[in-house]
Amino acid sequence: MIEKHIVLEDIDPVMFYGVGNGHLQMIRSLYPKLRVMARDNVIRVLGDEEQMAAFEDSVEKMHTHILRFNSIGDEDILDIVKGRRTNDFVPADVICYSMSGRPIKARTENQHRLVEAYEQNDMVFAVGPAGTGKTYLSIALAVKALKEKTAKKIILSRPAVEAGEKLGFLPGDMKDKIDPYLQPLYDALEDMLPQVKLQDMMEKHIIQIAPLAFMRGRTLSDAVVILDEAQNTTPAQIRMFLTRMGWNTKMIITGDMTQIDLPHSQKSGLIEALKILNDVDGIGIVTLDRRDIVRHKLVTKIVNAYEQYDKEVKSEEVKSNQI
């Protein structure tokens, strides 16, 4: 009789063990000559040497399956243990899988253009209204790069527009004050990575989330870097950010021209950057519109209503100036 310890890395142990340890109970029944015990992310196994080797091989395949699909079912476990081919085909258009096992992929023509632009360029600008999937798809592409080891880290940033007086009145330390501005980025990551693994990656700085001001002076290499809400950067800020780019790095800059929160006297850095960099080789620019909105159907109606309102306001302004 021999004993071995197997450490489950990069996955949520709960996903491996199943609800109420259902998967673990099934695995035990399939290996009757082994005594299998689990605590946290460590599996302790005692028993027959020959069956132990088969068990280790099965656990490795289950681990790979969970890494790929963020889920595993009883049928998958049975197929792996019995040596049958599992349904592990990943369609070419799937970027990665959510924590619920849902495939994350481009749904609209312009979203496909965003994915293609990312694959063909080292820097991509994605501009469009709320709900078009700019941030979510960008983070999915970054997570895929991390899983495939084509990037060593993910760096996510946003400008904290009210980084002066109003921010100072928020409770807590600097992280507590800044976090509300960065929450949409946390939300997307939590949908794609196990909570325990995400926390570990953040503690090890494999995934970094920081306000734009924290980028100054850095050189960002071997990473996928995303600047979200770039319409709220000043020309100086976005110029500083774009020049942080290092070797083996991809940058995605997202923004919504209809949600500029800067003072009226301040020009948006994103608008200026798009004009200056429009014809630069190696930079892709993708424009999404209301046809790409993938949120609740009311979001499309809201965007349409506001666009109509903006046109009416501009028309009234023109008439006033002519009088």
Side-chain angles (χ1 to χ4, degrees):
M1 179 178 289
I2 61 172
E3 176 178 340
K4 286 196 175 181
H5 290 194
I6 300 172
V7 180
L8 299 174
E9 296 180 338
D10 302 325
I11 63 171
D12 185 352
V14 175
M15 194 176 294
F16 185 92
Y17 301 144
V19 178
N21 285 336
H23 293 164
L24 191 61
Q25 296 292 350
M26 182 180 183
I27 293 168
R28 284 170 176 156
S29 68
L30 291 168
Y31 289 96
K33 293 182 180 180
L34 298 177
R35 186 181 177 193
V36 181
M37 296 158 285
R39 185 183 180 89
D40 297 326
N41 68 329
V42 179
I43 301 174
R44 182 180 170 218
V45 193
L46 297 90
D48 178 74
E49 185 174 355
E50 184 178 343
Q51 201 166 91
M52 181 79 74
F55 178 84
E56 285 184 287
D57 182 62
S58 294
V59 169
E60 179 59 33
K61 289 177 180 176
M62 293 176 207
H63 179 269
T64 301
H65 186 95
I66 293 173
L67 272 178
R68 183 176 297 166
F69 298 102
N70 271 335
S71 66
I72 193 167
D74 291 345
E75 289 185 9
D76 298 316
I77 293 172
L78 192 60
D79 287 341
I80 288 170
V81 173
K82 296 298 183 182
R84 297 194 291 258
R85 182 175 177 82
T86 58
N87 183 22
D88 58 358
F89 173 71
V90 179
D93 61 343
V94 173
I95 301 171
C96 61
Y97 287 82
S98 72
M99 289 308 299
S100 63
R102 173 179 56 83
I104 299 172
K105 57 184 179 180
R107 298 188 190 180
T108 69
E109 185 178 347
N110 286 326
Q111 287 183 355
H112 279 289
R113 287 176 181 165
L114 170 55
V115 174
E116 289 171 4
Y118 171 84
E119 292 170 350
Q120 297 168 6
N121 300 278
D122 287 337
M123 184 179 291
V124 179
F125 287 83
V127 182
T132 51
K134 306 181 299 297
T135 302
Y136 193 78
L137 273 180
S138 298
I139 292 178
L141 289 166
V143 169
K144 179 184 180 183
L146 202 61
K147 287 188 173 185
E148 293 179 350
K149 302 188 186 305
T150 56
K152 294 181 180 178
K153 55 182 176 282
I154 298 173
I155 300 172
L156 308 175
S157 187
R158 265 187 159 201
V161 177
E162 297 175 342
E165 181 181 15
K166 292 185 180 179
L167 192 62
F169 282 103
L170 292 173
D173 58 18
M174 180 57 73
K175 183 180 184 301
D176 294 329
K177 295 172 187 290
I178 296 280
D179 272 356
Y181 292 94
L182 307 175
Q183 191 58 49
L185 305 180
Y186 289 112
D187 291 343
L189 285 169
E190 287 172 353
D191 194 38
M192 301 175 203
L193 293 168
Q195 182 64 44
V196 174
K197 184 58 183 175
L198 174 57
Q199 189 64 38
D200 180 62
M201 285 179 164
M202 293 183 69
E203 289 175 358
K204 293 178 179 177
H205 302 291
I206 296 170
I207 294 178
Q208 303 171 30
I209 305 178
L212 180 58
F214 287 27
M215 296 295 108
R216 186 173 297 279
R218 299 184 64 183
T219 299
L220 310 174
S221 300
D222 298 311
V224 178
V225 187
I226 299 171
L227 174 60
D228 195 33
E229 300 287 352
Q231 76 277 0
N232 288 327
T233 60
T234 65
Q237 284 175 330
I238 199 165
R239 184 173 182 175
M240 175 274 292
F241 175 81
L242 297 178
T243 54
R244 300 305 94 200
M245 192 174 193
W247 295 107
N248 190 37
T249 288
K250 282 183 176 274
M251 278 190 169
I252 307 176
I253 300 93
T254 72
D256 178 2
M257 299 304 194
T258 67
Q259 295 190 30
I260 298 175
D261 299 319
L262 295 167
H264 291 296
S265 60
Q266 180 66 65
K267 185 177 180 180
S268 169
L270 178 60
I271 294 175
E272 182 179 272
L274 291 172
K275 290 178 180 177
I276 296 171
L277 304 175
N278 185 50
D279 297 320
V280 175
D281 187 40
I283 296 179
I285 298 175
V286 180
T287 302
L288 300 99
D289 55 41
R290 56 177 177 260
R291 293 172 297 179
D292 302 300
I293 293 175
V294 290
R295 290 181 185 169
H296 193 285
K297 60 184 179 181
L298 271 177
V299 175
T300 303
K301 295 180 180 180
I302 291 168
V303 170
N304 290 341
Y306 270 93
E307 283 185 358
Q308 182 60 37
Y309 173 77
D310 290 339
K311 288 178 183 178
E312 292 173 359
V313 170
K314 286 182 181 179
S315 177
E316 289 297 324
E317 289 176 351
V318 169
K319 288 180 182 178
S320 298
N321 292 332
Q322 289 175 346
I323 296 174

